[in-house]
Amino acid sequence: MSRIVTALHDGPEGAKGQVRDLRVRWALEEAGLTYQTRTFGFGEPRKGSDLADQPFGQVPAYAEGELRIFESGAILLHIAGQSEALLPRDPAQAARATSWLFAALNSVEPVTWQMVIMTKYVWGDRPWAADARAAALDFAQGRLRSVANWLGDRPWLEDRFTVGDLAMVSVLRSLPADYLAPHPELQAYVARGLARPAFQRALTAHLADFRHPEAA
Ligand SMILES: N[C@@H](CCC(=O)N[C@@H](CS)C(=O)NCC(=O)O)C(=O)O
C-alpha cells in the first residue's frame, strides 16, 4: 500500500520542525507504516497535483492507495484506526483517545497556537496586537492549566499513550517555552512524548526534507 504525506521543503523562519506533516509522520512511525513525502515550497502554487486538493491549499494532505485525506486530525484518526499502538482496541478506550485527539486540535490548538502566535507574528504590527496578545495569552493559559490539572502526575492523558497524546504533545511542543513554564506537568509530558523513538525518527525525516529544497 503506497502512502504519501505532503510537506514543505521551505517556509518562514520557525516553520522548520513545526509544520504539521510532522505529526502525521510521527503517527506513521508509531504505527510502523512506511510512507513517502511530496514536498512543496511555502506558498507555491500546487495545482496539477492531486495531492494539492487540500481545500485550503495547505499541508499536510495524505494519500493511501486511492484514498485522499486532508486535515491533520482526520489523517491521524485514519492512521490510528490501523494500529493498536495509537488506538486501543477496546471501544470505550478508543473513544477516550479520540476525545483527546479532538481536544488537542479543537480546544487547545486554536487558543494557543492560532490566537497567541497570530497576534504575535501575523497581526503583530496592528495597533491592537499587544492587547489582543495579552488577552489571548490569558485565555490560553486557562486551557493549559486544565490539561495540566487533568494530567497531574500521570504519564499520559489516559492509561497509556494514544493518538490523543500524540496530538496533544504535537500542539504543546509548538508553544514558546515560557508558555509551558507555569506547568511542570506539561513540560514533563511534552518531554516524554518527544523522547519517543518514533517522534525522533519523524523529526529527523521532517528536517531532512527541509534541508533539501531540490527534493520537491
Ligand atoms: N487545520 C490544518 C492546518 C494546516 C496548516 O496550517 N498547514 C500549514 C503548515 S502547518 C501550511 O500548509 N502552510 C503553508 C501554506 O499555507 O502554504 C491541519 O491541521 O491540517
Side-chain angles (χ1 to χ4, degrees):
M1 174 74 74
S2 73
R3 297 179 195 85
I4 302 174
V5 181
T6 63
L8 297 182
H9 58 246
D10 62 33
E13 191 58 34
K16 189 172 175 178
Q18 296 296 343
V19 178
R20 289 173 175 81
D21 62 280
L22 179 50
R23 58 186 65 168
V24 174
R25 295 173 191 257
W26 184 7
L28 288 163
E29 292 287 352
E30 292 282 357
L33 299 172
T34 56
Y35 66 96
Q36 297 171 306
T37 51
R38 185 169 308 162
T39 66
F40 297 95
F42 184 75
E44 174 189 325
R46 291 159 198 183
K47 288 288 166 211
S49 157
D50 58 352
L51 276 171
D53 287 344
Q54 207 276 10
F56 307 102
Q58 296 179 310
V59 302
Y62 178 71
E64 189 182 275
E66 297 302 308
L67 189 68
R68 300 288 181 274
I69 315 178
F70 63 95
E71 283 294 332
S72 60
I75 302 168
L76 292 183
L77 196 53
H78 176 76
I79 295 167
Q82 299 176 50
S83 171
E84 202 187 353
L86 289 166
L87 205 60
R89 288 226 175 89
D90 175 73
Q93 288 176 12
R96 294 290 300 180
T98 307
S99 299
W100 281 115
L101 168 65
F102 276 81
L105 304 186
N106 198 33
S107 295
V108 180
E109 186 162 55
V111 299
T112 54
W113 196 90
Q114 298 286 12
M115 282 174 68
V116 178
I117 303 300
M118 292 290 277
T119 57
K120 183 173 181 186
Y121 297 110
V122 182
W123 300 317
D125 57 352
R126 308 290 173 96
W128 42 262
D131 282 349
R133 182 165 159 72
L137 242 170
D138 207 39
F139 195 76
Q141 281 300 344
R143 285 290 154 90
L144 295 179
R145 202 172 308 117
S146 298
V147 180
N149 288 344
W150 173 270
L151 196 60
D153 56 7
R154 288 190 288 191
W156 306 114
L157 292 164
E158 296 289 326
D159 293 343
R160 42 152 288 196
F161 177 84
T162 72
V163 69
D165 295 295
L166 187 152
M168 190 66 82
V169 169
S170 295
V171 169
L172 298 180
R173 72 173 281 276
S174 294
L175 294 171
D178 54 322
Y179 291 9
L180 292 188
H183 313 290
E185 308 91 331
L186 295 185
Q187 288 177 315
Y189 173 62
V190 170
R192 229 172 353 258
L194 303 191
R196 293 178 72 84
F199 174 81
Q200 291 300 323
R201 287 195 297 274
L203 180 62
T204 300
H206 168 96
L207 296 177
D209 270 343
F210 248 86
R211 276 205 302 268
H212 298 291
E214 67 277 13

